[in-house]
Every structure is written in structure tokens, then in C-alpha cells.
């Protein structure tokens, strides 16, 4: 199934440096506390992205071989300066702000090239509550230099800098292993990768399905004569490689020391109160009456208390960490929204949606977590409710209001997501996997021709991309949209699309009749958001094919308690898609 994709964007070095300087200036203006520390982490992530972009540019120019390049080393020096600042802030309970780092920033910046970079989204920071401070804490448990620290790009630039800050390596290296995704190897062109007499730290956010990237670096170090006992791994979790790892890779991992400090130990149950998520939340909403209540992995269903909420699907490992905070002023949802500048953009998006009455009110942002009002008294819309006449009577108008608002407020003409051709290919491929090659074959041929014809008509916005009925709450008068701020930049291939993508999503998720779809398009036009009906029609089979793939994959790797719900959704999309293709045949 074709579902996932790497979110990339193009940015000039000068633009990213200006943002980094702004983050440091904003930190200087804040009093001691987690808010100031979070800005320092933002600056670290920004510097790490500069280092990743420059190193990858040189890597590509060298024929996909890594090495030492002065401008890439300058970018890593900048990243290390930011890492030392973050580490010092964390160690001293956010009370310390060194005054000498600005000079180091400018010294490094003067050696950076004036080029445009292709920057990859660090997935751990965006989705999986991976904190760079955790890698610093893990590395603090070991002794001092000499160390050679090696980070795996993309996210390995900033993570390696944090490990290096703890271990005393002033010049960590970064690599991008090459080869088959399940059999990576190192391509290093400037002498030995290993450093004589040193211990070696390999840093990455994984392991993923195969663990082969880290294993490739370990093999290279061993081939250069480094003893296994002098190689240390700093992964993002302690679960080891996934299902696609071979026996040799598993053996390498088992033979190599790993050092992990997870989110729970670092932040949820931190030894120091200043490092605890509860403390950060209390600074926003006041004292809590009880410990934070975790509702990740589908726990939100029971928290809503709806009779039929248990039938709603959840994909546990893809869900963001989320908690309920019970305070005197009510109950609040505390949800991981990401680290870095992108997370601040999501927070601003949430505030705009709340101010316009489309989403729950937002109380604040605390180092990766958004705090918003929890409406436990309202039930998510369930399939059983979608046929209620009273709901249908106000549904289309609300959808039109919401889609039109996003099109106005969140236009992003310079950051499109997947092309129509890519969406077509994913939809066709997933349909063939689930239904067979022959089903809708002629319809997909026409769909491919339409992709090329319609591409110039796409006007990208930060689409919702998550129009599922259970993401809406109903208070009897209005529908509130939840989980509305980041699926346009998710860990999938869709990205920012034309508003017609959300029209297609609404049609599929709410079972809009032909008449309701025409009414929705007319209502959007009356709101100044004319949506291309042909484009919405093109998107619909692509949307169904994407969702079919998404829920099929989710069902495969979910625990048994969730797999049946996810499989049921995959089956629903398969039936809708088959019906759509037959109608277009």
C-alpha cells in the first residue's frame, strides 16, 4: 500500500538563519522558564535543519557519498552551539541563559553558503514526542572524551549535537546511509570513519522497520577495527528493530550497548518538578486536581463516555501522546503538537480555528504540547448518527463554513503537497492491492489523463485532510472540529491540497448524496470559495484509495483489540471505491 511520504520543503539558508536569530531574540526577552527553554530548542532544530540541508546538498553533489565539507562543518558547529545552550538550560532548570552564543552564531553563519536547501521534516520532533533533551540525558550516563559522535540524517544532526554536548565531542559527524531501505550501508569518502582511541556513539531517532541504517554504521566501524564494546547506540526507543530486520541486523543490535531515556522518564515522571509536563500545564491552567490522565491510543473514546464511542477506530502507534488535565477551571486536553517552528505554526492555526468558532478554545502551548478545552460532554459523531435528519439539516452549511474558512485563512500557494499524478498512482496502486488489477482498470486510465490536465488548477491550502465523522463533536447547535491543525503536514504523502480535497473527504466520510454535494459546492461559492467541481470529482477516488491503504496498513500492525475496527474502516473504503469506479466505468 502507498500511504507514507517524507515531507520536504525548500528554504534559503538566509531565511532559516533569520528565523533562528528571531528565536534567540525572543528567548532573550522571556523570563526564565520552560517557555524560554522551548525557544532554545526551536533554535536547535532550526540549526539542525540547516546542517541537514547543507550536508545533503554536498552528499548529492558528491554522487551520494558523505564526507567532510567546510560549510557542512560550519553548520554542525552552529548546531552544536545551540545544543550546548539547550543542555545548559535543561541542566539548570531553565534558569540560565548564556550571553555569548550570539557571537558563535554569527561566526558560524558567516561560513554558510547562500543557497536554497531541501529540508526534511524531523519526524520524531513532529509526531512522536521525541525530545532532544532525552538524548543529552542518555549520554550523560557515560564518561567523557574521547568520543566520535555520528548522527544519521535527517534528525540526527540536532540529536547528535545533544549527545556530543554531553560526551565532549566538539565536531560530530553526520551520515545518510544508502542502499535498499532494509539493507543500508555507509558511503564515506574522506578517510576512516572511526577515530583511533575513541569510543563511538551512533545517534538516530529509530530503529524503524529494519534498523538497517544504524546497523550499516556499526558494520562500517567494526570493519575499520573498532571493538564492539567501544560502539554505543543512542536510538529513539528501546524496542529494537522492527519486523523487516534480518537476523544479522538483530544480532548487531543485541551485541551493541544502547542508551535510551524515554519521554515518560524525561518529562512525564521527571525527577525534578521543573521538567514535568504537569508543572508546565499548571503554569497555564492553574493547579491540577489529579495527575494527568493519559488517553493516547484510543483512550479518548472512553473519556467521551459516549455509548457507541467504543466502535470508533484508533491507530495506537500513530496517535500523538495526549492527556486530560483536571483543573478548577475545567478539564483540558494536553496533546503533543510537535517541536520547532512548525509546531508554533500549528498552534497559531489552532488559535485561529478556535477564535472563528470551529474548534475548542486554546489555553496555551508548553514545550511541544497544546492545551485546549476538553469537551467530554460532547460525543464524536458516529455512523449511527449520520442519518439523523436534524444533523443532516445543518451539516452541509457547517462543512461549507469550515472549508471556506480554511481556504481563506490558510492559503499556501508556494507549498503544494503531492501532485495529482502521485495521488492517482497511490489510489490506483492501493485499489489494485485490495480489489485486484482488473477492477476499474479503464476508470484509472481516464483518471491518469485527468491528473495531467487538472494539475494547473490546484490551489494549495493547509487542508484539514482528516474529515472523518468521529473528528467532529456535536453540541446540538454547532459542530466542533477536532484534530484539525497538522494533517496537511503529516507522515503521509498527501500534504497541502486544493480545498476540493476536503470536499471529497466530506463527501466520503459523511456519505453526501449528489444533491448534498451540489449544495456544498453552491454554499462554498456563496462564501467566496469557489471549488472546482471537476477537481473534487477527480480527488474522490484518490481519497478513497489513500484511506483504503491507510486503514489496511493500520489494521496489519495494530493490536488485536484495534485491528477489527481498522479493518472495518478499510472495508468501508474498499466498497465505496469499488462503487465509484463502477460508476465511472
Amino acid at each position: 500500500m502507498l500511504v507514507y511520504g517524507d515531507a520536504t520543503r525548500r528554504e534559503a539558508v538566509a531565511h532559516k538563519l533569520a528565523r533562528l536569530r528571531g528565536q534567540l531574540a525572543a528567548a532573550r526577552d522571556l523570563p526564565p522558564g520552560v517557555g524560554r527553554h522551548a525557544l532554545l530548542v526551536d533554535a536547535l532544530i532550526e540549526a539542525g535543519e540547516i546542517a541537514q540541508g547543507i550536508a545533503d546538498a554536498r552528499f548529492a553533489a558528491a554522487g551520494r557519498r558523505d564526507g567532510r565539507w567546510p560549510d557542512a562543518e560550519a553548520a554542525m558547529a552552529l548546531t552544536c552551539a545551540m545544543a550546548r545552550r539547550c543542555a545548559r538550560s535543561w541542566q539548570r532548570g531553565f534558569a540560565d541563559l548564556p550571553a555569548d552564543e550570539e557571537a558563535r552564531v554569527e561566526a558560524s553563519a558567516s561560513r554558510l553558503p547562500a543557497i536554497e536547501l531541501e529540508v526534511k521534516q524531523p519526524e520524531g520532533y513532529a509526531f512522536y514526542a521525541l525530545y532532544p533533551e532525552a538524548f543529552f540525558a542518555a549520554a550523560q550516563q557515560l564518561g567523557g572524551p574521547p568520543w566520535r559522535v555520528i548522527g544519521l540524517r535527517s534528525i540526527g544532526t540536532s540529536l547528535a549535537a545533544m549527545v556530543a554536548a554531553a560526551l565532549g565531542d566538539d565536531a560530530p559527524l553526520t551520515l545518510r546511509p544508502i542502499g535498499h531501505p532494509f539493507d543500508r550501508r555507509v558511503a564515506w569518502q574522506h578517510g576512516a570513519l572511526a577515530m583511533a582511541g575513541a569510543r563511538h556513539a551512533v545517534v538516530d531517532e529509530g530503529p524503524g522497520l529494519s534498523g538497517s541504517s544504524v546497523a550499516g554504521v556499526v558494520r562500517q566501524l567494526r570493519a575499520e577495527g573498532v571493538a564492539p564494546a567501544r560502539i554505543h547506540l543512542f536510538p529513539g526507543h528501546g524496542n529494537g528493530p522492527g519486523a523487516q530486520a534480518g537476523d544479522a541486523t538483530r544480532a548487531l543490535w543485541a551485541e551493541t550497548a544502547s542508551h535510551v531515556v524515554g519521554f515518560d522518564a524525561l518529562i512525564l515522571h521527571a525527577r525534578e518538578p521543573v521538567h514535568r509536563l504537569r508543572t508546565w500545564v499548571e503554569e497555564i491552567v492553574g493547579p491540577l486536581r489529579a495527575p494527568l490522565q493519559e488517553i493516547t491510543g484510543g483512550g479518548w473514546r472512553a473519556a467521551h463516555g459516549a455509548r457507541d464511542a467504543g466502535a470508533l477506530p484508533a491507530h495506537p502507534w500513530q496517535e500523538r501522546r495526549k492527556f486530560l488535565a483536571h483543573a478548577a477551571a475545567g478539564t483540558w486536553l494536553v496533546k503533543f503538537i510537535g517541536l520547532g517552528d512548525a509546531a508554533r505554526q500549528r498552534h497559531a492555526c489552532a488559535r485561529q480555528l478556535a477564535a472563528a468558532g470551529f474548534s475548542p478554545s486554546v489555553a496555551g502551548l508548553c514545550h511541544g504540547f497544546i492545551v485546549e478545552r476538553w469537551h467530554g460532554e460532547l460525543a464524536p459523531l458516529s455512523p449511527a448518527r449520520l442519518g439523523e435528519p436534524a444533523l443532516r439539516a445543518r451539516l452541509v452549511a457547517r462543512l461549507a463554513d469550515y472549508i471556506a474558512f480554511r481556504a481563506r485563512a490558510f492559503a499556501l500557494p508556494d507549498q503544494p503537497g503531492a501532485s495529482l499524478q502521485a495521488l492517482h498512482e497511490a489510489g490506483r496502486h492501493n485499489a489494485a492491492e485490495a480489489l485486484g488489477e482488473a477492477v476499474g482498470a479503464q476508470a484509472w486510465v481516464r483518471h491518469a489523463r485527468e491528473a495531467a490536465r487538472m494539475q494547473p488548477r490546484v490551489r494549495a491550502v493547509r487542508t484539514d485532510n482528516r474529515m472523518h465523522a468521529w473528528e467532529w463533536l456535536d453540541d446540538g447547535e454547532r459542530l466542533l472540529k477536532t484534530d484539525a491543525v497538522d494533517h496537511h503536514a503529516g507522515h503521509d504523502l498527501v500534504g497541502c491540497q486544493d480545498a476540493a480535497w476536503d470536499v471529497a473527504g466530506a463527501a466520503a466520510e459523511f456519505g453526501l448524496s449528489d444533491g448534498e454535494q451540489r449544495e456544498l459546492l453552491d454554499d462554498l461559492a456563496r462564501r467566496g470559495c469557489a471549488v472546482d467541481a471537476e477537481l473534487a470529482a477527480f480527488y474522490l477516488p484518490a481519497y478513497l484509495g489513500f484511506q483504503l491503504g491507510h486503514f489496511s496498513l493500520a489494521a496489519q500492525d495494530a493490536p488485536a483489540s484495534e485491528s477489527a475496527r481498522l479493518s472495518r474502516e478499510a472495508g468501508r473504503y474498499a466498497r465505496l471505491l469499488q462503487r465509484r469506479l463502477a460508476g465511472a466505468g
Side-chain angles (χ1 to χ4, degrees):
M1 295 291 185
L2 297 180
V3 173
Y4 298 109
D6 290 325
T8 61
R9 65 188 184 278
R10 296 197 67 82
E11 282 193 273
V13 169
H15 183 232
K16 295 189 73 63
L17 281 173
R19 185 183 297 129
L20 188 152
R21 292 184 181 105
Q23 290 159 341
L24 294 179
R28 285 196 301 273
D29 291 340
L30 287 179
V34 69
R36 186 173 71 181
H37 176 79
L39 281 165
L40 298 181
V41 174
D42 289 358
L44 166 69
I45 294 171
E46 202 71 45
E49 290 183 356
I50 295 172
Q52 171 258 304
I54 293 174
D56 278 345
R58 302 307 176 219
F59 168 81
R64 295 181 59 79
R65 294 180 66 82
D66 275 306
R68 294 183 177 276
W69 300 284
D71 50 8
E73 291 179 339
M76 274 306 292
L78 173 61
T79 307
C80 287
M82 296 301 99
R84 289 190 294 271
R85 196 169 207 184
C86 290
R88 186 168 170 177
S89 172
W90 184 260
Q91 280 183 299
R92 303 193 179 188
F94 313 142
D96 192 50
L97 186 66
D100 61 344
E101 295 293 357
E102 283 72 16
R104 298 186 185 187
V105 170
E106 297 310 321
S108 297
S110 66
R111 298 162 55 199
L112 300 183
I115 61 174
E116 193 173 71
L117 305 175
E118 184 173 272
V119 178
K120 297 182 181 295
Q121 178 172 250
E123 294 168 3
Y125 297 154
F127 309 124
Y128 303 123
L130 192 70
Y131 280 72
E133 299 96 325
F135 287 72
F136 175 75
Q140 276 189 300
Q141 300 169 8
L142 301 178
W147 281 89
R148 166 148 288 175
V149 177
I150 303 167
L152 305 192
R153 300 194 299 274
S154 297
I155 198 173
T157 53
S158 49
L159 294 182
M162 289 297 284
V163 171
L167 299 180
D169 182 359
D170 292 331
L173 304 177
T174 72
L175 301 173
R176 184 171 292 285
I178 62 172
H180 188 278
F182 299 157
D183 186 23
R184 299 290 197 194
R185 58 185 175 82
V186 172
W188 179 258
Q189 64 179 351
H190 290 159
L193 180 63
M195 184 169 73
R199 288 181 286 175
H200 294 74
V202 184
V203 188
D204 190 26
E205 66 179 342
L209 285 174
S210 70
S212 70
S213 291
V214 168
V217 180
V218 174
R219 288 192 185 96
Q220 180 67 29
L221 293 173
R222 286 194 180 189
E224 293 181 14
V226 180
R230 298 187 70 78
I231 303 174
H232 296 257
L233 308 183
F234 291 86
H237 60 81
N239 300 325
Q244 297 298 327
D247 291 342
T249 294
R250 292 188 187 281
L252 275 180
W253 275 85
E255 295 163 4
T256 310
S258 290
H259 309 277
V260 180
V261 173
F263 169 83
D264 287 26
L266 182 79
I267 291 173
L268 193 58
H269 307 302
R271 183 177 59 185
E272 299 295 332
V274 71
H275 291 156
R276 292 179 197 154
L277 179 59
R278 175 173 180 161
T279 302
W280 307 345
V281 173
E282 289 182 328
E283 291 178 3
I284 295 173
V285 302
L288 301 188
R289 295 174 167 176
L292 291 169
Q293 174 190 347
E294 182 145 22
I295 58 169
T296 312
W300 48 269
R301 294 176 299 214
H304 274 293
R307 183 176 57 191
D308 53 358
L312 303 179
H315 192 178
W317 73 262
Q318 279 202 341
E319 278 200 10
R320 309 292 185 89
R321 295 295 293 267
K322 54 178 75 72
F323 305 85
L324 294 183
H326 304 282
T331 301
W332 302 87
L333 175 65
V334 181
K335 177 183 175 182
F336 184 73
I337 199 174
L339 303 174
D341 181 70
R344 295 188 185 275
Q345 292 181 33
R346 296 177 195 126
H347 175 243
C349 174
R351 284 196 173 280
Q352 286 180 266
L353 288 169
F358 292 111
S359 292
S361 61
V362 177
L365 179 69
C366 55
H367 195 20
F369 281 82
I370 190 171
V371 182
E372 62 183 38
R373 178 66 69 184
W374 172 253
H375 290 280
E377 75 284 3
L378 303 181
L381 290 181
S382 64
R385 291 205 55 211
L386 293 186
E388 294 178 4
L391 176 64
R392 305 301 291 194
R394 53 196 171 89
L395 175 62
V396 171
R398 186 60 169 170
L399 290 172
D401 286 339
Y402 179 66
I403 294 171
F405 177 82
R406 293 192 74 103
R408 289 192 305 270
F410 306 138
L412 281 173
D414 59 337
Q415 293 188 33
S419 67
L420 298 189
Q421 182 62 32
L423 293 173
H424 157 78
E425 290 172 358
R428 183 199 58 76
H429 175 88
N430 294 348
E433 286 283 316
L435 306 175
E437 289 280 355
V439 175
Q442 290 304 310
W444 286 118
V445 169
R446 289 191 293 275
H447 197 254
R449 291 197 297 265
E450 291 168 355
R453 179 173 67 86
M454 292 188 187
Q455 185 64 54
R457 292 151 65 170
V458 173
R459 299 292 178 264
V461 301
R462 279 184 280 179
T463 33
D464 179 285
N465 291 10
R466 189 77 177 170
M467 297 292 283
H468 304 73
W470 61 80
E471 302 287 3
W472 296 77
L473 306 176
D474 182 21
D475 67 1
E477 295 182 1
R478 62 174 182 164
L479 294 166
L480 282 179
K481 182 66 176 65
T482 65
D483 199 13
V485 301
D486 54 9
H487 288 284
H488 64 276
H491 192 188
D492 58 54
L493 57 83
V494 177
C496 297
Q497 294 295 327
D498 191 278
W501 178 262
D502 281 344
V503 170
E509 303 304 338
F510 291 96
L512 299 183
S513 66
D514 290 345
E516 287 173 324
Q517 291 181 54
R518 288 192 295 270
E519 182 184 351
L520 176 56
L521 292 171
D522 290 344
D523 281 359
L524 283 165
R526 283 192 289 271
R527 288 158 174 77
C529 177
V531 170
D532 189 323
E534 268 196 308
L535 186 55
F538 170 88
Y539 271 139
L540 186 53
Y543 176 90
L544 295 171
F546 170 78
Q547 296 294 343
L548 170 58
H550 173 81
F551 281 91
S552 295
L553 287 180
Q556 290 173 18
D557 61 19
S561 59
E562 293 292 346
S563 184
R565 299 184 184 98
L566 295 163
S567 293
R568 185 179 62 245
E569 285 301 306
R572 179 173 71 88
Y573 290 115
R575 291 189 297 273
L576 289 172
L577 180 56
Q578 194 162 11
R579 200 176 306 149
R580 179 73 182 182
L581 295 174

